Amino acid sequence: MSDEICPCGSGKSYATCCEPIIKKTALASSPEMLMRSRYTAYVKKEILWLRDSLEEKQRKDFDEKGAKQWSERSQWIGLEIIKSKTDEEHNTGLVEFSAKFKQDGVVREHHEISEFVRKNNEWLLTEGSMVKPEPVRKEQTVGRNDPCPCGSGKKYKKCCGA
């Protein structure tokens, strides 16, 4: 058994964490574990697992060539699970994550919210939506109780903010 730490960030060995899921000798126990195995599949260039972990309807749109190129051209830096929610009653789940990678010397971030469904006790990815970054505000904001920027000497809420 290999002592190699799993790329998914769980702190466990690859052999006991994501490898059994990717090699289909075990099922992912949760949407989060499936997401971790998918990240690890990119790191390990296990492109078939990326396809096989999709819900059947999604597999027809899977771009195997594109996924392989992204996997091979990227240096994978790490995975952060931001939020993970499982609804056992409805067999659905949601995972918000951030995967950092370096491509062409530039560190990039893939921030996504993924939706999952459990069918026949197997978790599958159904949908993924990119999370747009918060817009950067360039103007300085003025609080209600701050002095008004017009120079009147009054509080903003009693002057220009009224």
Side-chain angles (χ1 to χ4, degrees):
M1 188 182 291
S2 171
D3 289 336
E4 173 191 4
I5 297 295
C6 193
C8 80
S10 67
K12 299 176 185 174
S13 74
Y14 173 61
T16 62
C17 190
C18 289
E19 184 178 38
I21 299 168
I22 292 170
K23 300 295 184 188
K24 300 182 187 179
T25 59
L27 294 174
S29 59
S30 66
E32 182 177 328
M33 275 310 303
L34 184 66
M35 178 49 61
R36 288 182 179 280
S37 75
R38 288 180 54 82
Y39 172 81
T40 299
Y42 276 105
V43 175
K44 298 285 191 178
K45 297 161 186 56
E46 294 279 359
I47 306 308
L48 292 180
W49 175 243
L50 295 171
R51 182 198 65 210
D52 293 347
S53 59
L54 294 171
E55 184 184 32
E56 192 67 38
K57 292 179 219 166
Q58 301 297 325
R59 289 182 190 166
K60 68 180 185 314
D61 294 329
F62 180 67
D63 178 5
E64 188 172 333
K65 184 179 177 186
K68 184 174 189 229
Q69 286 177 344
W70 189 28
S71 173
E72 291 173 346
R73 293 181 180 169
S74 300
Q75 176 189 353
W76 298 92
I77 298 170
L79 174 69
E80 176 190 0
I81 302 295
I82 298 165
K83 181 171 55 174
S84 181
K85 189 170 108 179
T86 303
D87 182 345
E88 295 287 343
E89 183 180 343
H90 296 100
N91 290 314
T92 59
L94 180 136
V95 178
E96 180 178 354
F97 70 94
S98 168
K100 289 197 169 67
F101 60 99
K102 188 184 253 187
Q103 204 172 52
D104 300 324
V106 178
V107 175
R108 302 176 188 274
E109 177 184 22
H110 179 89
H111 187 180
E112 182 177 307
I113 296 176
S114 295
E115 297 175 33
F116 300 85
V117 66
R118 184 169 45 198
K119 292 184 177 178
N120 301 319
N121 212 31
E122 181 180 13
W123 286 105
L124 299 165
L125 175 67
T126 60
E127 193 72 40
S129 304
M130 295 295 294
V131 176
K132 294 180 182 172
E134 290 289 322
V136 177
R137 296 185 78 152
K138 297 200 182 216
E139 72 277 353
Q140 188 175 21
T141 59
V142 179
R144 291 174 27 90
N145 291 317
D146 291 342
C148 191
C150 76
S152 68
K154 296 180 182 177
K155 287 185 177 182
Y156 176 71
K157 70 182 177 186
K158 298 282 187 180
C159 188
C160 294

